[in-house]
Amino acid sequence: MMRVADEFRNYLTTEKGSSANTVSSYLRDVNQFLEYLTERSLELSEVTQAEVQSYAQWLTGRGKSAATVTRALASLKCLFHWLIDRGECSFNPVTGVKTARVERKLPKILSGKEVELLLEQPQCVDSKGYRDHAMLELLYATGIRVSELIGLNVDNVFLSAGFIRCESKERSRIIPMYPTALKALSDYLRDVRPQLAVESEEALFVNMNGTRMSRQGFWKIIKYYGEKAGIQTEITPHTLRHSFAAHLLENGADIHAIQEMLGHADISSTQVYARLVNQHLKDVYTKAHPRA
């Protein structure tokens, strides 16, 4: 069992190129399943669909949420696909296993006024202020993920054309920017970044040591400005991405265009914002209509 876990780790890391977080999550799920099998004196080659179904029920009985059980089964499905490729299993016992439906929560977003208030917080009087202002404007202008924001390099920016090129493992996409964000980014690139970045650093956004900004670094930045603005809604690095999508949809943007800008492979991931906007309109109607 230990050999399987170690070799599966190598597969995820070297062949699949999974992130450290993904590898950690998959291995946590797989190791728990291997312990489950060991306690029942079962080998991986003996696992049937009924055994996997029993395991899912066992997780539920231990108080695990439907989302956690679904994620665990996704990890196991990946494990068995790998075992099949190696010739150690003849079928995937996870296929067809039923789990409780995961109720997708609507994301929290900021109102238009809250976004304006947040974007006004960084004061462009020093290097940090210019950099932070450009980061927040760019995030709301494009709706990119925080990992994509800090992963941007200078050569991903096309100021004269007014867009950025966001690259990921799957594909790259072109996303336009509104004039205010374009100006904030232009000011930062022209007047601030050359003073901050260490020589040969490619990152668009750097910390005060001149190297690439980290997720943790940006988390502290957005949390700081959210508190400074006095915004009651909990702000995470993903909040501006959600707000970007919902506000575009609310103002008549085509959902497929939003899907393209967000980089969603499946339209269902984007449709959650339609539910969010519909719920918002319903709330407004209920509060404002005299006979509601």
Side-chain angles (χ1 to χ4, degrees):
M1 293 289 192
M2 288 297 295
R3 174 190 63 82
V4 169
D6 288 341
E7 292 182 4
F8 185 56
R9 180 200 298 273
N10 290 336
Y11 160 73
L12 292 173
T13 305
T14 58
E15 292 186 41
K16 212 172 179 200
S18 301
S19 69
N21 286 340
T22 299
V23 172
S24 175
S25 176
Y26 274 39
L27 287 177
R28 183 169 57 249
D29 293 335
V30 166
N31 283 327
Q32 182 171 250
F33 182 62
L34 295 179
E35 289 176 9
Y36 174 88
L37 295 181
T38 300
E39 290 173 1
R40 289 155 181 76
S41 301
L42 288 171
E43 297 292 331
L44 275 169
S45 57
E46 299 173 326
V47 175
T48 63
Q49 187 184 83
E51 291 289 352
V52 177
Q53 189 74 62
S54 295
Y55 177 65
Q57 293 168 354
W58 177 78
L59 288 174
T60 301
R62 295 186 67 192
K64 303 298 182 183
S65 68
T68 298
V69 175
T70 299
R71 190 209 65 213
L73 294 185
S75 299
L76 296 184
K77 183 174 283 190
C78 179
L79 171 71
F80 280 103
H81 272 310
W82 171 68
L83 290 171
I84 290 170
D85 288 342
R86 287 162 57 97
E88 296 185 28
C89 278
S90 57
F91 70 103
N92 195 322
V94 185
T95 302
V97 172
K98 304 295 184 184
T99 60
R101 183 178 177 181
V102 178
E103 187 62 36
R104 189 163 192 175
K105 294 181 180 178
L106 294 178
K108 292 183 179 180
I109 64 168
L110 301 178
S111 67
K113 289 183 178 179
E114 287 174 326
V115 169
E116 291 297 328
L117 189 58
L118 178 67
L119 297 181
E120 288 171 358
Q121 295 311 305
Q123 300 300 303
C124 296
V125 295
D126 56 17
S127 297
K128 186 177 186 304
Y130 274 99
R131 182 203 64 189
D132 294 354
H133 180 58
M135 292 184 81
L136 293 181
E137 286 281 4
L138 181 59
L139 198 60
Y140 181 61
T142 61
I144 58 177
R145 302 172 181 88
V146 176
S147 58
E148 294 170 334
L149 177 74
I150 62 175
L152 286 173
N153 291 331
V154 174
D155 61 8
N156 293 133
V157 178
F158 300 86
L159 291 176
S160 59
F163 67 81
I164 61 167
R165 184 180 67 239
C166 186
E167 298 177 335
S168 63
K169 286 191 302 183
E170 295 80 18
R171 59 177 182 169
S172 69
R173 60 192 194 276
I174 300 299
I175 312 171
M177 292 178 284
Y178 53 69
T180 309
L182 193 59
K183 182 181 185 307
L185 190 54
S186 178
D187 290 345
Y188 164 73
L189 279 170
R190 183 187 64 244
D191 301 328
V192 175
R193 189 186 177 281
Q195 302 171 20
L196 286 180
V198 299
E199 189 176 354
S200 78
E201 176 59 69
E202 297 179 347
L204 175 59
F205 292 111
V206 297
N207 56 35
M208 301 312 288
N209 293 323
T211 57
R212 188 179 297 274
M213 173 73 67
S214 67
R215 283 182 71 99
Q216 294 80 4
F218 183 74
W219 178 283
K220 292 177 182 177
I221 288 171
I222 199 168
K223 184 178 180 182
Y224 168 75
Y225 288 119
E227 291 176 351
K228 187 180 177 186
I231 296 172
Q232 298 303 309
T233 304
E234 182 185 359
I235 300 178
T236 71
H238 231 53
T239 304
L240 284 179
R241 176 173 166 85
H242 293 321
S243 302
F244 161 86
H247 293 168
L248 278 179
L249 197 58
E250 202 169 24
N251 285 284
D254 178 73
I255 195 168
H256 293 284
I258 297 173
Q259 176 191 5
E260 179 66 24
M261 286 185 280
L262 290 175
H264 286 162
D266 191 333
I267 190 66
S268 64
S269 298
T270 317
Q271 285 169 337
V272 68
Y273 298 109
R275 288 176 53 208
L276 182 66
V277 169
N278 289 338
Q279 182 62 53
H280 173 67
L281 291 176
K282 183 178 179 181
D283 291 344
V284 169
Y285 178 89
T286 302
K287 291 177 182 177
H289 198 289
R291 294 180 65 88

